[in-house]
Amino acid sequence: MDASDAIYLIMPDRFANGDPDNDCMPGMFEKVDRNKPNGRHGSDLKGIQRHLSYIKDLGFTAIWINPVLENNMPQYSYHGYAITDFYAIDPRLGTLDDYIALIADAQSRGIKVIKDMVFNHCGTGHYWVKDPPAPDWIHHWNEFTRTNYRATTFVDPHRSDYDYKKMVQGWFDTSMPDLNQDNPMLAKYLIQNSIWWVELTGLDGIRMDTQPYPYKEFMADWGKAVLNEYHNFYMVGEAWLTKASLVAYYQKNALNHDGYNSNLPGVFDFPVNAAMLAAFNEKDGWDRGTARLYEALAEDFLYPNPYNLVTFLDNHDKSRYFTIVGEDINKLKMALSFLFTTRGIPSVYYGTELLMTGWEQPEHGEIRKDFPGGWPGDKTNAFDASGRTSKQNEAFNFIRKLLEIRKKHHVLHFGSLTHFIPNDGIYVYFRHNEDDCVMVIMNNNEIEKELETKRFAEILGKYSITTNLMADKPFKMDAQIKVPAKSATILGLTN
Ligand code: CA
């Protein structure tokens, strides 16, 4: 996994039901109920495998599947983050053989597979809660104590012991007891578990949930142990912090004040995500609109490898981006254009191509709706162009075209990024190397604008032929060019 990849994120209970016979399984407490937004809906690994061609057709080279391990919980078991057996696939998603078959099939089509893992907590249904292997296996409090979710306490020189203890030892939720990775047996168990899954299934990457929440020394040991076995293995941590200074702390080889090294090749780019959430929804100003993107990327000096960050518009925990931008497809297109052309490994949440909507509050079920056509008897089948609305096809084709450009222009993977200070509501940047150059012009104004191009001479001066890559048409690079309202123009430059 690296910046040549593009990730499609799937919630395995909400994508496609490839085997209705496993919807309700003996011994599993929660039964299927598609009418409940937060219930189990019956989608599974076979369903994902059946639709790999759809993902391939869109142009993605990797899938990240939310946790697939057993969650034998009485309710809210569908999301997978309350694991009750770290060595078992949840039988309602399929068997271990189904998982291995899915990975092998995906890889044969050029699609990598990323496993979602959780080391911070387990589900209360795990036997560890009733019968722990050691008294200190789980952090216990006199009364239920929730973590404060304030990961800032890990790096804050002014933190109180009270806040720090609550952060690292508090429970993630009433149903998610906090594991004590300070117990060396548990630490070994979790590290061996990762190696077992990678070795057995041939996984391409691991996405680690709540990266900062477990003891950081243990997380560093885990990263090191996995990299010792698989030298180029990709691991990406969810360090949900909005400042680059805090997120960068968790990337491998960061120059940290305390010498900490996570051994983690990738982290999610929450700071750039925060910039994207606001940028296209507001008029440009000194520190508003596309200036947010410019300022966020300027902090890349903090990261040992900004190309290894995973960038995203939304995910399974966040309001749908299309909803955030008021269901304005032009704003979504600008954001997607930025996502696929700036540095990093882009990740797209399933259903973005179908213009799925939803706020993450009050219920996460709203942002995890069923993929239409994934279930026998569904009224529409959005896996096929004929089952999508014209607006959905517009979004689908837009993403497919962007991924086609990204595949053809390797400069968008590892090429240098040079950007110019946004001016008059227009943000211009280039991705360039010795062989290729792509220019992106983002007009964040509600009106068409004239753009003077002489400011970009340091790069434009090297090239004579310009192509509009989205339209596959020649483009005339004059001293003044017209840029359409609220849009991104993506140009290829050659000699
Ligand atoms: Ca099923």
Side-chain angles (χ1 to χ4, degrees), residues 13 16-24 32 41-47 91-94 375:
D13 181 57
N17 191 355
D19 181 7
D21 287 344
N22 65 15
D23 290 2
C24 300
V32 74
H41 290 190
S43 163
D44 48 39
L45 299 172
K46 277 205 174 98
R92 293 158 295 188
L93 296 177
W375 280 253

Side-chain angles (χ1 to χ4, degrees), residues 120 132 135 244 297 351 377 413 467 470:
N120 177 63
L297 290 167
H413 309 158
T467 309
M470 289 301 277

Side-chain angles (χ1 to χ4, degrees), residues 13 48 57 79 116 124 146 153 213 215 217 226 240 276 289 314 321 353 362 407 417 419 442 456 488 493:
D13 181 57
I48 296 173
D57 178 40
H79 56 63
D116 205 328
T124 38
R146 192 181 283 278
T153 54
Y213 288 65
Y215 292 106
E217 295 79 13
V226 174
W240 191 330
M276 277 191 275
D314 54 23
Y321 193 85
E353 73 279 20
K407 194 174 180 183
L417 169 68
H419 61 179
M442 313 214 82
F456 318 114
L493 303 172

Side-chain angles (χ1 to χ4, degrees), residues 135-406:
D136 64 348
W137 206 258
I138 287 165
H139 287 126
H140 289 289
W141 298 73
N142 290 331
E143 57 186 15
F144 172 73
T145 303
R146 192 181 283 278
T147 176
N148 49 36
Y149 308 103
R150 189 69 76 168
T152 309
T153 54
F154 290 113
V155 289
D156 176 10
H158 311 297
R159 75 168 183 222
S160 65
D161 292 340
Y162 172 86
D163 287 339
Y164 173 73
K165 189 179 173 200
K166 218 169 164 180
M167 172 65 209
V168 77
Q169 298 185 5
W171 287 23
F172 200 76
D173 191 67
T174 49
S175 60
M176 297 175 183
D178 195 70
L179 295 173
N180 174 21
Q181 309 83 7
D182 243 4
N183 178 305
M185 293 298 282
L186 174 57
K188 193 166 189 178
Y189 181 99
L190 293 172
I191 289 171
Q192 286 183 339
N193 182 260
S194 281
I195 293 169
W196 188 83
W197 280 109
V198 179
E199 188 65 29
L200 183 72
T201 65
L203 282 167
D204 299 284
I206 291 175
R207 177 265 184 189
M208 181 53 71
D209 187 59
T210 50
Q211 175 77 25
Y213 288 65
Y215 292 106
K216 67 181 182 183
E217 295 79 13
F218 159 71
M219 293 307 279
D221 290 346
W222 165 71
K224 192 175 176 192
V226 174
L227 289 180
N228 275 347
E229 297 294 335
Y230 312 101
H231 296 189
N232 295 313
F233 195 75
Y234 186 74
M235 290 167 281
V236 55
E238 179 206 29
W240 191 330
L241 295 149
T242 49
K243 287 192 168 71
S245 53
L246 301 177
V247 176
Y249 183 82
Y250 293 98
Q251 194 178 34
K252 185 184 169 189
N253 296 335
L255 291 172
N256 289 327
H257 64 288
D258 56 0
Y260 180 67
N261 190 347
S262 71
N263 296 308
L264 192 71
V267 279
F268 285 92
D269 197 340
F270 280 93
V272 164
N273 174 255
M276 277 191 275
L277 290 176
F280 308 112
N281 257 342
E282 61 189 10
K283 209 168 152 24
D284 267 33
W286 176 257
D287 54 2
R288 294 170 65 80
T290 60
R292 293 181 190 271
L293 307 174
Y294 174 85
E295 292 287 340
L297 290 167
E299 293 192 90
D300 272 0
F301 68 90
L302 291 161
Y303 296 105
N305 186 354
Y307 294 82
N308 250 353
L309 300 179
V310 172
T311 50
F312 56 98
L313 303 182
D314 54 23
N315 61 31
H316 60 289
D317 283 330
K318 293 177 71 70
S319 297
R320 289 277 185 179
Y321 193 85
F322 192 51
T323 295
I324 295 277
V325 293
E327 301 185 20
D328 181 333
I329 197 166
N330 290 330
K331 291 178 180 175
L332 176 67
K333 283 179 171 180
M334 286 186 85
L336 286 165
S337 300
F338 175 74
L339 182 75
F340 286 120
T341 57
T342 191
R343 95 290 183 270
I345 308 172
S347 171
V348 172
Y349 187 34
Y350 84 95
T352 301
E353 73 279 20
L354 302 181
L355 303 175
M356 275 193 189
T357 55
W359 295 105
E360 59 100 9
Q361 293 289 348
E363 294 289 358
H364 274 182
E366 286 303 305
I367 52 172
R368 300 163 178 177
K369 289 174 190 150
D370 295 346
F371 193 106
W375 280 253
D378 276 1
K379 286 195 191 83
T380 55
N381 177 16
F383 286 111
D384 193 83
S386 62
R388 297 190 286 266
T389 65
S390 59
K391 273 263 190 259
Q392 286 175 330
N393 271 321
E394 187 182 341
F396 180 98
N397 292 333
F398 192 81
I399 291 174
R400 185 160 66 173
K401 183 68 187 173
L402 280 169
L403 281 167
E404 195 185 299
I405 291 169
R406 197 177 156 83

